[in-house]
């Protein structure tokens, strides 16, 4: 088996009439509908940095695509196409089979099409570049939060970081938290529905504290969030109450939930959206004219993840 038979067997499954040329030529050629802008983003997952050597191929594939879909969700974009650059130390057919089945399954769930990539020999790493579409001028940005807007967070946070901590110290953790670590659910549907409601949005990958700070910085504002308002699962709440380790929720990262700001006039719509989508949206604080992030009820400095 060589790289071309790998591509044929595991990474060629496309059908979408907008793809004029997909896997197989030097580049993909895609026809874009008028009235839309292209939204594009790339993320790399590296063994030893983003996942451990014993993570199964299915989870690696899932997470590599899910974290990219999460970036599109944060912009409010509709996922459409992706490319995959896969580097692996050797050809392992059962690994490739498991990887491609999982990748394809998530891709079909979100109607995103694999249009090309690169296959190389080297340390295990997966780079996915996603492309989505957004109605002209409608992308949700980090730079448009306004003083007086409320800050919201979807679902619960801290679960993935808690699971990772438990695994690292050889302790048990519930399947719920483990799933949040290995199978984060990209909030694509929520993101699409927040367009026109949220004034700014970001996906929480490095922890609420750091990622909300990106919004504040870009928007030239500050925020006060209340530690008691953070949405925590029962397992994480028990852990935090026992240890006082609020940093798993504030700075643990790997949440892939959305953090967004909403003006007063849009709150009724948000409430209806919450009911319609059946996802918990929690108000955690407010945007202030005074710059900087204040976490009321908590004074410790947490360490957020930084690569360098
Ligand atoms: P080139 O040398 O012109 O870059 P490659 O030999 O790398 O072309 O790839 C051949 C074709 O297969 C290209 O269309 C490329 O986009 C696609 N491809 C390569 N690797 C992958 C992959 N892992 N997943 C999907 N498509 C891939
Ligand atoms: Mg190539």
């Amino acid at each position: 088996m060589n790289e071309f038979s790998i591509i044929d067997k595991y990474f060629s499954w496309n059908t979408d009439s907008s793809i004029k040329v997909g896997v197989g030529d030097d580049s993909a050629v895609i026809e874009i509908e008028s009235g839309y802008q292209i939204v594009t983003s790339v993320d790399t997952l590296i063994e030893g940095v983003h996942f451990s050597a014993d993570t199964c191929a299915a989870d690696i594939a899932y997470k590599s695509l899910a974290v990219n879909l999460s970036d599109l969700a944060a912009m409010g974009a509709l996922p459409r196409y992706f490319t995959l650059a896969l580097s692996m130390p050797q050809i392992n057919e059962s690994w490739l089979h498991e990887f491609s089945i999982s990748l394809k399954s998530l891709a079909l769930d979100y109607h995103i099409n694999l249009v090309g990539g690169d296959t190389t020999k080297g340390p295990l790493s997966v780079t996915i570049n996603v492309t989505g579409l957004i109605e002209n001028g409608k992308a949700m940005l980090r730079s448009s939060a306004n003083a007086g807007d409320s800050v919201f967070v979807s679902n619960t946070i801290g679960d993935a970081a808690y699971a990772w901590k438990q695994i690292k110290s050889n302790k048990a953790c519930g399947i719920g938290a483990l799933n949040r670590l290995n199978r984060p659910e990209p909030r694509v549907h929520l993101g699409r529905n927040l367009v026109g409601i949220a004034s700014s949005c970001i996906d929480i990958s490095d922890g609420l504290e750091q990622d909300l700070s990106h919004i504040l910085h870009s928007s030239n504002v500050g925020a006060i969030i209340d530690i008691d308002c953070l949405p925590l699962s029962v397992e994480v709440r028990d852990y935090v109450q026992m240890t006082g380790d609020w940093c798993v929720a504030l700075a643990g990262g790997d949440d892939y939930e959305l953090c967004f700001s909403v003006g007063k006039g849009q709150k009724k719509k948000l409430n209806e959206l919450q009911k319609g989508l059946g996802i918990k949206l929690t108000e955690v604080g407010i945007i202030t004219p005074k710059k900087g992030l204040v976490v009321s009820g908590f004074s410790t400095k947490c360490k957020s993840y930084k690569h360098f």
Side-chain angles (χ1 to χ4, degrees), residues 6-80:
I6 290 175
I7 296 161
D8 264 356
K9 188 163 175 191
Y10 298 109
F11 301 115
S12 307
W13 65 67
N14 254 308
T15 49
D16 186 313
S17 61
S18 66
I19 303 166
K20 300 304 164 194
V21 180
V23 171
D25 211 317
D26 290 313
S27 303
V29 180
I30 294 160
E31 204 152 276
I32 303 298
E33 296 146 69
S34 71
Y36 287 84
Q37 292 173 321
I38 285 175
V39 180
T40 184
S41 177
V42 64
D43 263 318
T44 297
L45 272 75
I46 298 172
E47 184 179 288
V49 180
H50 302 94
F51 57 87
S52 53
D54 59 1
T55 309
C56 69
D59 284 346
I60 296 170
Y62 181 100
K63 195 160 177 179
S64 303
L65 183 55
V67 301
N68 274 284
L69 286 167
S70 178
D71 281 321
L72 291 180
M75 307 302 287
L78 185 68
R80 295 294 280 123

Side-chain angles (χ1 to χ4, degrees), residues 22-269:
V23 171
D25 211 317
D26 290 313
S27 303
V29 180
I30 294 160
E31 204 152 276
I32 303 298
E33 296 146 69
S34 71
Y36 287 84
Q37 292 173 321
I38 285 175
V39 180
T40 184
S41 177
V42 64
D43 263 318
T44 297
L45 272 75
I46 298 172
E47 184 179 288
V49 180
H50 302 94
F51 57 87
S52 53
D54 59 1
T55 309
C56 69
D59 284 346
I60 296 170
Y62 181 100
K63 195 160 177 179
S64 303
L65 183 55
V67 301
N68 274 284
L69 286 167
S70 178
D71 281 321
L72 291 180
M75 307 302 287
L78 185 68
R80 295 294 280 123
Y81 314 101
F82 73 107
T83 58
L84 163 71
L86 178 61
S87 169
M88 53 199 170
Q90 74 270 319
I91 295 174
N92 174 339
E93 283 231 49
S94 70
W95 189 94
L96 275 164
H97 178 74
E98 202 190 308
F99 182 92
S100 73
I101 297 265
S102 168
L103 188 72
K104 185 176 177 182
S105 155
L106 183 64
L108 291 177
D109 283 350
Y110 286 88
H111 310 289
I112 190 166
N113 304 276
L114 180 58
V115 295
D118 201 19
T119 306
T120 52
K121 184 172 178 176
L124 185 59
S125 92
V126 185
T127 297
I128 286 182
N129 167 234
V130 282
T131 299
L133 297 179
I134 185 94
E135 296 76 8
N136 279 343
K138 297 285 187 200
M140 294 189 287
L141 308 180
R142 297 177 178 186
S143 54
S144 39
N146 305 301
D149 291 353
S150 297
V151 179
F152 282 84
V153 167
S154 62
N155 198 29
T156 62
I157 53 174
D159 304 83
Y162 160 77
W164 184 241
K165 265 202 156 167
Q166 296 294 97
I167 290 169
K168 284 261 166 193
S169 47
N170 279 320
K171 288 185 189 146
C173 96
I175 187 74
L178 204 59
N179 265 331
R180 292 292 304 276
L181 175 67
N182 292 327
R183 300 271 168 154
E185 199 177 323
R187 299 295 174 196
V188 168
H189 202 49
L190 174 62
R192 287 295 291 157
N193 280 279
L194 285 176
V195 173
I197 295 179
S199 55
S200 71
C201 187
I202 193 167
D203 72 316
I204 310 176
S205 54
D206 296 329
L208 176 63
E209 209 172 36
Q210 181 162 309
D211 288 321
L212 174 57
S213 294
H214 290 315
I215 287 186
L216 304 182
H217 206 80
S218 300
S219 300
N220 239 336
V221 290
I224 301 174
I225 59 172
D226 186 345
I227 195 89
D228 292 323
C229 292
L230 298 187
L232 305 182
S233 62
V234 173
E235 195 171 0
V236 170
R237 185 165 296 283
D238 286 350
Y239 164 80
V240 167
Q241 270 163 3
M242 226 156 56
T243 59
D245 181 13
W246 282 97
C247 292
V248 292
L250 272 176
D254 255 3
D255 295 301
Y256 301 104
E257 293 300 335
L258 297 184
C259 170
F260 53 95
S261 58
V262 175
K264 278 198 180 66
Q266 299 292 336
K267 272 185 155 178
K268 200 168 155 252
K269 269 197 204 155

